[in-house]
Amino acid sequence: MTAYILRRILYLIPTFFGATFLAFLIIQLAPGDYLTQLELDPKITPETIARLRAQFGLDRPIYEQYLLWMDNLLHLNLGYSFAYQAPVLEVIWPRVVNSMVIVIPSTLLLYLVAIPIGVYGAVRQYSLGDRILSFLAYIGLSVPSFFLALIAIYVLLQIKFRTGTLIFPVSGMTSSGFEQMPPLRQILDIAWHAVVPVLVATANDIAGLSRLMRGQMLEVLSQDYIRTARAKGLAERVVLYKHAFRNAVIPFVATLGGLLPSLISGAGFVEVVMAWPGITPFFLDAIANQDLYVIAGFLTVSLVLLMIGNLISDLLLAWVDPRIRYE
Amino acid sequence: MRRTLAVLVGLIALAGVASAQPFVWPQKWTVAKPSEVKRGGTLRAAVISDYRTFNPFITAEAGNVPEIISGGRGLVTRDPTTGDWIPYMAESWTISPNKLEITFKIRKGMKWSDGKPITADDWIMTWRIHTDKAVGSNSYDSFFIDGKPITLKKIDDYTLRFIYPKTDAEAFAVASFEPWPAHIFGPVYQKDGAEGIKKMWTLNEKPENIVSGGPWLIESYRPGERLVLKRNPAFGEWNKDEAGNPLPYLDRYEIKIVKDTNAQLAEFLAGNIDLMAPATVDHISQIRQAIQQGRLDATIKVNASPVASSQFMVFNWNKASDPFKQSLFRSDKFRRAMSHIVNRQAVVDIVYGGLGTPMYSSVYPVLTQWINPKVPKYEYNLQQAAKLLAELGFTKKDKDGYLVDSKGRRLEFNLSTNAGNAQREQIAKLIVDEAKKVGVKVNFTAIDFNTLVGQLLSSGPDRPFDAIIIGLSGGGLDWPFGSNVVPCKGNLHMWNKSGQCLDPRETQLDALYSRGRTELDFKKRVEIGYRMQEIEAQLLPVIYIAGPNYHPAWNNRLGGEHPDAIISSIWGQRELELTFIKK
């Protein structure tokens, strides 16, 4: 087992260099650079722009920029943001933490809701409940999350117009005067702001995951060993939960590793629409501005987490599934 | 004994007031009388993009934090009612007989928020750092005229001299930069130079370490979320209303960062933010509806003024590889014909929902005192366009219905604009349709903004585009022509980047530009500007189209907005210093 882990870690090294170089190259392939936006400013001379370009090192060949960046990376320095004139980690970290306020509850909620729905759908296949849940799932799958967020804002506003109170805030993470609140109030305030974004972020994923769970469960239920279990007279509850369910969740164990990078990658467009100060709006800004090292640095962190996550998934799989052995 | 003490204290206080020589904010800048004003409260606003630094020397975006906390004012400021420069942090100035030197007497008694006096040293240090190449300040270029430096000289603590390499219409604009505390930046600059300066006042800096000379201090900042500013009491010591009350009236100014305009609108409709400048017809009508149905107590000034930017179609004069197109694009008859096919009214109606303004000149329509009313406008007129094209030899049509010349060459060109700008894409499609009616084939593509800029600003005899729709903003009230745009060697001389004037009228414009820039008399400068617009109209180097209007809105809990006459995209809806909360 140890040998296997070591080998896996060795394999990660070429993957790491290949992936970071590719990412770096693709970012650089986009036309223009961070300073292009200054070129249409009538007040700034081309000489000034050329000087800034040299200061940022953007006038050097790409491989040279990559090697310099890699050198910094090996010293655990993700690089420097042009726009913020500050180290990348320093500017992205607070945003990642903000995103986690949505991502972690939303992930928990997702598993808590989606798996029971999926199991129910499989056990009571084609029942009225299954049909209704399937119908809702298809709607959930087809409505983009930003649109769902806009609908949520609309509904909140209509309630406010009718009753005069906002049950949940339409945007932001904290109320004004947040700094003056006692710590407990602060936590409650953030929680109050997080309710709608968490629900919106979860809604889409519930649909996908519950469909997947339903499919898995149906497949397992049609296996011979389930028939055997029933034939030997086990209670249906035991058949379902001890035999069928345990086998049906194995593929989900493989997805657990994927959760690691998704922890830092933000909750998506709901953050933009509801003005949540997470990583998504920040990262979109960085892309729009071609803030090179912010994009590359963030991708690198995600990449490392993805690689670690995959490794963990594989090990977990070996642990839960007796059919898999790594030697 | 007690009484004498009280009298004495009173006298000292009076002396303090007398030496502070306050700047009195004119009553005509607000609709509110000092007697109606209430003190205290919080103004809540929203911005679309997050802040990037608190450092005044490396900040690059519009509406940055240093500009907000300093109030964006320096030695001089403009009176929005007249547009004239008036003394602000200066008490007065004298101009040398050769007009190359302006000596400012700095107002005494002004203090930084940490209690240190504001003196000539602060301007000198600020100027030094801005003009240090290694710092990379965005203001660097504003301290040079034609590559020659403007220098500052300290005469004494309260006297400062600006020395210009040539007479400059924008001399006061140069002198209006905000000073920053020399006692904070100076020691770091001396010790670590530009690198030290760049590391200062990042977003992680503790708010209490940010020293301000303007109306606001930073109270707190939460990245991506909210900037909260509080009143700077030191500012109120020398900024008063006409009744002698210290300014600003507000206790706090809170700015939410809301990246999506729909979410901003929702916050405004919910009464959670007080200021809004809706840009689309849909947003405007939602605000109007909410007001009419009594769901929102707010004011919106629809079509208050055009915005201060231009939008145009530019043809490329440098196409050595395609002599046919090159001679076409260099022909003023062709360009005039193209101006005749631009249906500006349709652009305003369709693209801006009726809430826009047609444009005919390089001077933004909002700069009314600069617009020459007698300049001919080549309005939408397809017959006239067809006639001009016929004069160029395009009389016959081919089997597809497009015009061809005697050699059978089809009248066709490519048009592009930046992808994602829905309004420009719509404008382009309107142009394609109208052009087709007279038999001109226009192939429209929307391309990435950076690629577009690269094509537009490329130079030499052969450049890679036919025509582009783009816009410019920025440019002063003192001399509204672009220093990079009009001169033939200018980087934004977009139609011709061969590096030299190709048309005698370009040479003429180039010369008039320099004359206007060095003319100090406003009336004479306006005359030169009028003349330039006449030549531009003949030459039509670019074809101006139309732009949106400015529609400010505010929640009625706010008072102290500008009188209607000065609500515009230039002066905004209000001075925050004079804004107060009614309820």
Side-chain angles (χ1 to χ4, degrees):
Chain A
M1 198 65 176
T2 329
Y4 171 75
I5 297 176
L6 279 176
R7 204 164 63 232
R8 277 294 299 264
I9 291 176
L10 274 180
Y11 285 156
L12 291 184
I13 294 171
T15 317
F16 175 78
F17 285 105
T20 48
F21 184 68
L22 209 62
F24 201 80
L25 194 71
I26 290 171
I27 302 166
Q28 296 275 35
L29 279 181
D33 59 34
Y34 174 67
L35 294 163
T36 309
Q37 54 193 328
L38 290 183
E39 289 181 353
L40 273 192
D41 188 330
K43 294 188 294 285
I44 297 179
T45 61
E47 293 76 35
T48 303
I49 291 171
R51 182 161 44 73
L52 288 174
R53 197 158 273 151
Q55 275 172 17
F56 288 159
L58 287 170
D59 55 343
R60 304 191 194 182
I62 292 179
Y63 70 88
E64 211 177 306
Q65 294 185 40
Y66 175 75
L67 288 178
L68 273 174
W69 176 62
M70 218 9 97
D71 182 47
N72 278 324
L73 212 55
L74 295 178
H75 293 91
L76 296 181
N77 174 3
L78 286 180
Y80 202 72
S81 159
F82 301 144
Y84 289 79
Q85 300 266 308
V88 168
L89 194 64
E90 198 175 281
V91 290
I92 62 175
W93 184 245
R95 303 310 191 90
V96 168
V97 171
N98 286 346
S99 277
M100 284 181 181
V101 174
I102 299 185
V103 173
I104 294 176
S106 147
T107 310
L108 290 176
L109 190 66
L110 171 66
Y111 281 89
L112 281 178
V113 175
I115 290 184
I117 289 182
V119 172
Y120 174 84
V123 175
R124 300 276 155 82
Q125 201 185 359
Y126 304 132
S127 68
L128 184 66
D130 179 37
R131 279 162 200 267
I132 291 173
L133 287 172
S134 296
F135 179 70
L136 290 177
Y138 283 123
I139 292 182
L141 269 177
S142 48
V143 177
S145 70
F146 77 89
F147 188 63
L148 208 57
L150 283 175
I151 292 176
I153 292 177
Y154 176 80
V155 171
L156 288 172
L157 268 186
Q158 290 308 314
I159 296 174
K160 149 104 187 169
F161 288 154
R162 301 273 187 286
T163 65
T165 47
L166 261 181
I167 358 175
F168 292 111
V170 285
S171 70
M173 185 170 95
T174 54
S175 309
S176 45
F178 180 80
E179 277 71 24
Q180 283 80 41
M181 295 177 185
L184 188 69
R185 276 284 309 281
Q186 291 194 338
I187 294 171
L188 286 176
D189 188 53
I190 292 181
W192 183 55
H193 279 80
V195 171
V196 179
V198 166
L199 290 180
V200 171
T202 318
N204 279 73
D205 297 341
I206 283 184
L209 193 72
S210 65
R211 298 302 293 168
L212 204 67
M213 185 67 218
R214 183 176 178 269
Q216 279 298 327
M217 195 71 183
L218 279 174
E219 198 191 316
V220 172
L221 282 175
S222 65
Q223 296 287 325
D224 290 342
Y225 59 83
I226 296 294
R227 196 181 317 130
T228 314
R230 282 188 178 134
K232 73 180 181 189
L234 287 181
E236 184 65 12
R237 198 173 47 82
V238 179
V239 172
L240 284 181
Y241 294 102
K242 200 161 176 201
H243 294 266
F245 181 71
R246 276 181 126 187
N247 285 305
V249 292
I250 287 176
F252 291 96
V253 172
T255 64
L256 287 180
L259 291 179
L260 206 56
S262 75
L263 271 186
I264 70 149
S265 61
F269 275 101
V270 69
E271 291 182 353
V272 178
V273 177
M274 303 206 67
W276 190 270
I279 190 74
T280 314
F282 178 85
F283 194 58
L284 287 177
D285 263 353
I287 294 177
N289 292 327
Q290 297 195 291
D291 198 346
L292 175 63
Y293 297 108
V294 171
I295 312 175
F298 183 68
L299 287 178
T300 308
V301 177
S302 308
L303 174 73
V304 170
L305 288 180
L306 183 70
M307 294 191 308
I308 298 173
N310 273 339
L311 186 60
I312 294 176
S313 286
D314 289 350
L315 297 176
L316 274 178
L317 215 52
W319 182 58
V320 297
D321 192 340
R323 290 168 298 185
I324 299 172
R325 282 287 168 267
Y326 301 119
E327 290 312 333
Chain B
M1 185 60 211
R2 224 181 187 170
R3 176 170 289 175
T4 44
L5 200 72
V7 170
L8 209 65
V9 170
L11 277 175
I12 290 166
L14 268 177
V17 169
S19 76
Q21 295 161 319
F23 175 82
V24 177
W25 289 65
Q27 178 59 52
K28 58 187 179 179
W29 292 3
T30 161
V31 294
K33 292 185 186 62
S35 55
E36 314 167 20
V37 162
K38 288 184 186 151
R39 299 190 69 82
T42 303
L43 172 72
R44 303 154 313 164
V47 289
I48 201 97
S49 58
D50 195 5
Y51 299 105
R52 289 164 181 174
T53 177
F54 299 147
N55 186 327
F57 299 104
I58 59 174
T59 190
E61 72 273 16
N64 53 68
V65 179
E67 197 178 304
I68 298 170
I69 63 172
S70 69
R73 293 185 163 86
L75 287 166
V76 290
T77 192
R78 280 181 196 276
D79 180 342
T81 56
T82 58
D84 293 338
W85 290 105
I86 53 170
Y88 180 65
M89 293 180 98
E91 256 167 42
S92 62
W93 63 73
T94 47
I95 300 174
S96 70
N98 66 3
K99 304 195 164 154
L100 290 176
E101 291 177 8
I102 307 180
T103 309
F104 292 94
K105 278 273 167 209
I106 297 169
R107 198 177 290 277
K108 288 190 178 118
M110 299 185 298
K111 286 197 190 96
W112 296 107
S113 53
D114 62 0
K116 296 267 182 353
I118 301 178
T119 67
D121 292 320
D122 298 311
W123 274 271
I124 298 278
M125 182 54 67
T126 305
W127 160 69
R128 285 237 168 90
I129 300 175
H130 274 310
T131 51
D132 180 339
K133 283 185 177 177
V135 172
S137 163
N138 254 18
S139 306
Y140 178 87
D141 289 324
S142 67
F143 293 97
F144 292 82
I145 304 177
D146 295 345
K148 295 191 197 82
I150 296 161
T151 46
L152 272 70
K153 203 170 146 200
K154 174 184 170 180
I155 309 295
D156 62 48
D157 275 358
Y158 291 97
T159 315
L160 188 64
R161 183 168 295 157
F162 281 63
I163 303 152
Y164 298 83
K166 52 164 90 173
T167 54
D168 185 11
E170 294 183 347
F172 283 106
V174 173
S176 70
F177 71 91
E178 317 95 81
W180 292 96
H183 65 278
I184 304 283
F185 289 98
V188 177
Y189 189 55
Q190 245 108 55
K191 194 162 153 276
D192 302 320
E195 286 312 307
I197 293 293
K198 284 201 229 169
K199 291 196 186 93
M200 293 179 76
W201 288 16
T202 63
L203 293 179
N204 291 334
E205 185 66 56
K206 287 204 193 85
E208 56 269 30
N209 293 346
I210 309 285
V211 174
S212 164
W216 307 109
L217 294 169
I218 298 173
E219 183 172 274
S220 66
Y221 167 71
R222 298 177 59 82
E225 217 178 322
R226 187 185 305 113
L227 172 72
V228 184
L229 305 167
K230 61 181 176 193
R231 174 176 41 204
N232 174 8
F235 179 82
E237 285 172 23
W238 64 278
N239 284 273
K240 310 276 183 189
D241 66 9
E242 289 200 347
N245 300 312
L247 296 174
Y249 299 126
L250 297 161
D251 281 342
R252 281 197 182 75
Y253 174 23
E254 199 180 282
I255 306 168
K256 281 185 118 184
I257 295 135
V258 183
K259 254 197 87 61
D260 183 89
T261 50
N262 290 310
Q264 282 191 1
L265 178 73
E267 290 283 29
F268 186 71
L269 291 176
N272 290 342
I273 57 172
D274 300 316
L275 302 175
M276 179 93 193
T280 66
V281 187
D282 176 47
H283 286 184
I284 294 163
S285 62
Q286 286 198 51
I287 293 175
R288 273 175 151 174
Q289 226 177 36
I291 295 173
Q292 277 161 10
Q293 297 173 356
R295 292 179 302 186
L296 177 70
D297 185 17
T299 304
I300 180 164
K301 299 274 176 192
V302 176
N303 288 335
S305 83
V307 298
S309 63
S310 62
Q311 194 144 229
F312 49 81
M313 172 161 67
V314 54
F315 287 97
N316 175 12
W317 294 12
N318 318 114
K319 283 199 80 76
S321 59
D322 190 341
F324 168 65
K325 273 184 181 165
Q326 175 165 295
S327 68
L328 202 60
F329 298 159
R330 285 186 186 184
S331 145
D332 49 13
K333 248 182 207 165
F334 170 76
R335 294 192 301 270
R336 203 175 305 158
M338 290 303 107
S339 179
H340 282 306
I341 67 162
V342 177
N343 190 347
R344 294 174 180 80
Q345 197 52 49
V347 171
V348 169
D349 289 342
I350 296 169
V351 180
Y352 301 114
L355 308 173
T357 305
M359 291 181 193
Y360 302 94
S361 120
S362 67
V363 180
Y364 308 144
V366 63
L367 301 174
T368 42
Q369 50 187 351
W370 283 98
I371 297 270
N372 181 349
K374 294 208 185 90
V375 159
K377 296 171 178 171
Y378 302 104
E379 300 266 18
Y380 176 60
N381 183 341
L382 294 182
Q383 285 87 20
Q384 195 60 34
K387 200 177 140 224
L388 286 165
L389 293 174
E391 285 172 28
L392 287 170
F394 293 96
T395 45
K396 283 181 294 191
K397 287 194 175 174
D398 62 11
K399 61 178 178 1
D400 299 324
Y402 292 111
L403 286 168
V404 288
D405 68 359
S406 52
K407 289 177 192 150
R409 290 176 300 196
R410 186 191 261 184
L411 193 49
E412 176 176 5
F413 64 87
N414 301 321
L415 174 68
S416 42
T417 192
N418 53 314
N421 187 324
Q423 297 179 329
R424 284 198 189 130
E425 289 178 22
Q426 271 178 301
I427 292 174
K429 281 170 192 152
L430 281 171
I431 290 177
V432 171
D433 288 347
E434 298 294 346
K436 196 174 176 188
K437 288 183 195 162
V438 292
V440 180
K441 186 160 197 279
V442 181
N443 308 309
F444 168 65
T445 43
I447 57 178
D448 173 74
F449 181 75
N450 286 351
T451 314
L452 190 80
V453 172
Q455 292 182 354
L456 188 70
L457 301 187
S458 61
S459 52
D462 193 30
R463 298 196 293 150
F465 72 96
D466 289 354
I468 280 176
I469 297 177
I470 192 94
L472 288 179
S473 60
L477 292 156
D478 294 307
W479 183 233
F481 299 92
S483 62
N484 275 359
V485 184
V486 182
C488 295
K489 286 191 165 56
N491 187 41
L492 291 171
H493 195 76
M494 295 156 287
W495 55 95
N496 166 21
K497 292 216 27 178
S498 62
Q500 57 203 25
C501 300
L502 293 172
D503 190 298
R505 286 165 295 191
E506 285 185 277
T507 322
Q508 238 179 322
L509 282 171
D510 195 333
L512 283 170
Y513 172 82
S514 307
R515 246 180 69 198
R517 175 87 202 245
T518 52
E519 175 58 64
L520 295 186
D521 184 273
F522 185 78
K523 281 225 175 71
K524 284 187 192 153
R525 212 155 63 222
V526 171
E527 277 168 30
I528 298 172
Y530 273 27
R531 178 84 195 106
M532 286 176 71
Q533 289 169 64
E534 284 162 19
I535 299 171
E536 265 180 8
Q538 290 172 22
L539 181 66
L540 280 181
V542 304
I543 293 152
Y544 291 94
I545 303 170
N549 286 347
Y550 168 67
H551 321 279
W554 63 87
N555 192 301
N556 285 343
R557 69 193 275 274
L558 297 190
E561 67 271 13
H562 280 153
D564 277 358
I566 52 170
I567 292 185
S568 77
S569 58
I570 306 259
W571 308 113
Q573 54 164 266
R574 60 183 64 242
E575 306 296 330
L576 293 182
E577 289 84 346
L578 294 169
T579 296
F580 63 98
I581 306 293
K582 283 192 213 156
K583 45 197 172 182

